[in-house]
C-alpha cells in the first residue's frame, strides 16, 4: 500500500483549507479595522512632501520652458531675436566667480 499518494492528497486538502482560513482571517481583520476607523472618524491620509510639490512645480515649468524655447527659436529663424547682451555678460561673470 502506498502511503505517500494518500498523504499528499490529504496534505493538499489541508493546505488549501488553511489558506482559505487565513484569507478569511485577513478579511475579518480588515473589516474590523475599517469599522473601527469609521467609528472613530479616522480616515486614510496622503501627505505630499515639500520635495514632491517642488517636483510638480518644476514639471509644470518644463512646459513653459518648452514654449519659451519655441518662441525664441522662431525669433532666431525670423531674424528678430535680440538678446540682452548686458544680462548675458553679467551671468557669465557670475558663473566665473562661482556665485
Amino acid at each position: 500500500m502506498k502511503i505517500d499518494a494518500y498523504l499528499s492528497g490529504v496534505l493538499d486538502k489541508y493546505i488549501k483549507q488553511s489558506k482559505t482560513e487565513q484569507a478569511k482571517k485577513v478579511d475579518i481583520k480588515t473589516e474590523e479595522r475599517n469599522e473601527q476607523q469609521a467609528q472613530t472618524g479616522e480616515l486614510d491620509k496622503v501627505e505630499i512632501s515639500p520635495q514632491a510639490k517642488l517636483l510638480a512645480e518644476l514639471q509644470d515649468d518644463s512646459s513653459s520652458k518648452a514654449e519659451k524655447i519655441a518662441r525664441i527659436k522662431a525669433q532666431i529663424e525670423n531674424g528678430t531675436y535680440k538678446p540682452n547682451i548686458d544680462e548675458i555678460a553679467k551671468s557669465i561673470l557670475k558663473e566665473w566667480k562661482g556665485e
Side-chain angles (χ1 to χ4, degrees):
M1 180 165 147
K2 292 186 178 181
I3 297 176
D4 290 341
Y6 174 75
L7 285 179
S8 67
V10 171
L11 286 175
D12 288 341
K13 288 180 182 178
Y14 175 75
I15 290 171
K16 286 180 185 178
Q17 181 182 3
S18 64
K19 285 183 181 178
T20 55
E21 287 177 6
Q22 288 175 351
K24 286 179 184 176
K25 288 179 184 177
V26 169
D27 288 342
I28 291 170
K29 287 180 182 178
T30 304
E31 288 176 11
E32 289 173 356
R33 189 182 73 226
N34 290 343
E35 288 175 11
Q36 288 174 350
Q37 287 177 341
Q39 290 173 356
T40 60
E42 290 180 13
L43 299 174
D44 291 337
K45 294 181 187 177
V46 175
E47 292 184 20
I48 300 173
S49 68
Q51 293 86 357
K53 291 178 184 177
L54 178 63
L55 284 174
E57 289 175 15
L58 292 175
Q59 286 179 342
D60 291 341
D61 287 346
S62 66
S63 63
S64 63
K65 285 182 184 180
E67 292 171 3
K68 183 177 181 179
I69 291 170
R71 187 178 67 246
I72 292 172
K73 189 175 182 180
Q75 288 176 352
I76 291 171
E77 289 173 354
N78 295 334
T80 59
Y81 180 65
K82 305 288 185 210
N84 187 338
I85 297 171
D86 291 333
E87 286 185 26
I88 293 172
K90 287 178 184 177
S91 65
I92 290 172
L93 288 174
K94 265 185 164 179
E95 190 69 32
W96 281 347
K97 290 179 181 179
E99 295 177 0

